[in-house]
Amino acid sequence: MILKIARVAALAAVLGLAGCANATPSTPPGDSADARRALEGSLGGVRAGNYTFTRTGGGQSEGAVHLPGSSLIAQGHGPSVLRTGSGFYLRYRIHGDGYASWAKLYQKHAGDADAKQRAELARVRRVMAVLDGTHWVRADEKRLTAAAAEEDLSGLERMPPVPTAEKPDVTGATELVTAAVTARRDGDTVTGTLDATKVDAELGVFANDPYYFYGPRASAMPYRARLDAQGRLTELTVEVPGQLEAPASQPPAGFPSDAPTAPADPPVVITITRYGETPEQPVPKGVTDLDPGAYEMLTNDVD
């Protein structure tokens, strides 16, 4: 009898092991493979390169993308750029305080300037008249990129990314979805958390160093993605915590997750519409060529 029981137990153990070997690997708690597939698949429309978007909270921007013909990326604060056909255009305002200071400086010295200085002052006034945040100017993209590279000096360091065939999404949605830690689906809505420290700082969606500003909370920001009937992303909302009252100077393991913070920052909200229906952008009316001397002014236009 004892021998029979032992054999049954051994057989049960073997069957149990076999069942474990054939079982589908489990997903992490709070995670769903179906939700992840839906979230990743929702980016197909953006990657097709024809869409209209807005982004509020964090770095505010809006745009209309119609690849390969044109793209318009306008920012609430900072440079706006338009590419249509072979032309590249800039809309930019010399920083508020700097704009007023420069204007007063040139007005002050205009009276005692010689002929050469008067010509230079007149040129600067023409440049400032079009770099007022309302006018579009035809610009040299390579020279603008070089000016933007002077990060310690140039206000152009916040140049928005221009969509290309290789990277058609400039909304920030792809980066945020890629940073998702968990995903759960309920109908046409996917929710979970994402790790903001994995998001490229160049997009300007969050602070340059999310961990430094938000601490461990940066690695678990709640998000909600809404999909349309075709499974395309229509809205992505990320709840942003308040910034730390004392910046995080310690390694993540040593900084308390409940450290005091300021009130929560506004959420980042990305909306995407007009998939496949966004038209090409025309050349701006009344556009002029940016004076070659303006690139040095832009390089030294500090915040």
Side-chain angles (χ1 to χ4, degrees), residues 196-213:
T197 66
K198 305 297 185 183
V199 178
D200 186 358
E202 293 297 321
L203 289 175
V205 178
F206 302 115
N208 287 342
D209 186 341
Y211 175 74
Y212 180 84
F213 286 100

Side-chain angles (χ1 to χ4, degrees), residues 169-211:
D169 180 13
V170 291
T171 69
T174 295
E175 287 271 348
L176 294 173
V177 166
T178 302
V181 178
T182 62
R184 300 184 68 177
R185 185 175 184 179
D186 182 6
D188 291 331
T189 302
V190 179
T191 57
T193 60
L194 60 81
D195 186 349
T197 66
K198 305 297 185 183
V199 178
D200 186 358
E202 293 297 321
L203 289 175
V205 178
F206 302 115
N208 287 342
D209 186 341
Y211 175 74

Side-chain angles (χ1 to χ4, degrees), residues 36 39-43 47 172-181 194 199 223 225 233 236:
R36 284 188 171 275
L39 194 59
E40 174 63 24
S42 72
L43 299 173
R47 289 169 174 163
T174 295
E175 287 271 348
L176 294 173
V177 166
T178 302
V181 178
L194 60 81
V199 178
Y223 72 85
L233 182 66
L236 179 60

Side-chain angles (χ1 to χ4, degrees), residues 1-272:
M1 183 67 177
I2 295 175
L3 181 60
K4 183 177 180 180
I5 293 174
R7 287 176 177 174
V8 171
L11 178 60
V14 170
L15 291 175
L17 289 173
C20 291
N22 295 325
T24 302
S26 61
T27 56
D31 203 15
S32 161
D34 173 66
R36 284 188 171 275
R37 284 192 296 269
L39 194 59
E40 174 63 24
S42 72
L43 299 173
V46 207
R47 289 169 174 163
N50 186 296
Y51 59 88
T52 299
F53 81 95
T54 63
R55 188 173 77 209
T56 58
Q60 297 188 7
S61 63
E62 60 183 14
V65 177
H66 182 119
L67 296 180
S70 72
S71 62
L72 165 64
I73 315 298
Q75 298 188 116
H77 302 283
S80 296
V81 296
L82 166 64
R83 177 184 282 159
T84 184
S86 59
F88 188 84
Y89 306 88
L90 170 73
R91 187 174 66 197
Y92 181 76
R93 176 178 170 81
I94 297 289
H95 282 90
D97 292 342
Y99 192 95
S101 298
W102 282 36
K104 290 178 181 178
L105 178 66
Y106 296 130
Q107 289 172 3
K108 177 180 178 180
H109 294 287
D112 55 4
D114 58 28
K116 183 177 180 181
Q117 291 170 331
R118 285 196 298 272
E120 177 65 14
L121 290 173
R123 183 188 66 79
V124 171
R125 282 198 297 272
R126 287 195 300 271
V127 170
M128 294 180 67
V130 294
L131 294 182
D132 63 350
T134 64
H135 290 80
W136 285 100
V137 291
R138 185 181 293 105
D140 185 323
E141 185 175 3
K142 290 183 178 179
R143 294 189 69 177
L144 286 178
T145 301
E150 299 291 337
E151 293 189 2
D152 292 335
L153 296 175
S154 178
L156 287 177
E157 64 187 35
R158 292 184 59 195
M159 281 277 288
V162 177
T164 63
E166 293 74 27
K167 298 186 71 173
D169 180 13
V170 291
T171 69
T174 295
E175 287 271 348
L176 294 173
V177 166
T178 302
V181 178
T182 62
R184 300 184 68 177
R185 185 175 184 179
D186 182 6
D188 291 331
T189 302
V190 179
T191 57
T193 60
L194 60 81
D195 186 349
T197 66
K198 305 297 185 183
V199 178
D200 186 358
E202 293 297 321
L203 289 175
V205 178
F206 302 115
N208 287 342
D209 186 341
Y211 175 74
Y212 180 84
F213 286 100
Y214 304 115
R217 297 176 181 88
S219 299
M221 291 188 184
Y223 72 85
R224 181 184 68 248
R226 298 188 187 279
L227 316 182
D228 65 12
Q230 287 74 47
R232 300 172 301 193
L233 182 66
T234 60
E235 182 180 284
L236 179 60
T237 301
V238 181
E239 300 296 335
V240 181
Q243 296 190 18
L244 294 171
E245 292 183 357
S249 57
Q250 305 176 51
F255 202 87
S257 60
D258 59 348
T261 67
D265 288 341
V268 172
V269 181
I270 299 171
T271 60
I272 309 175

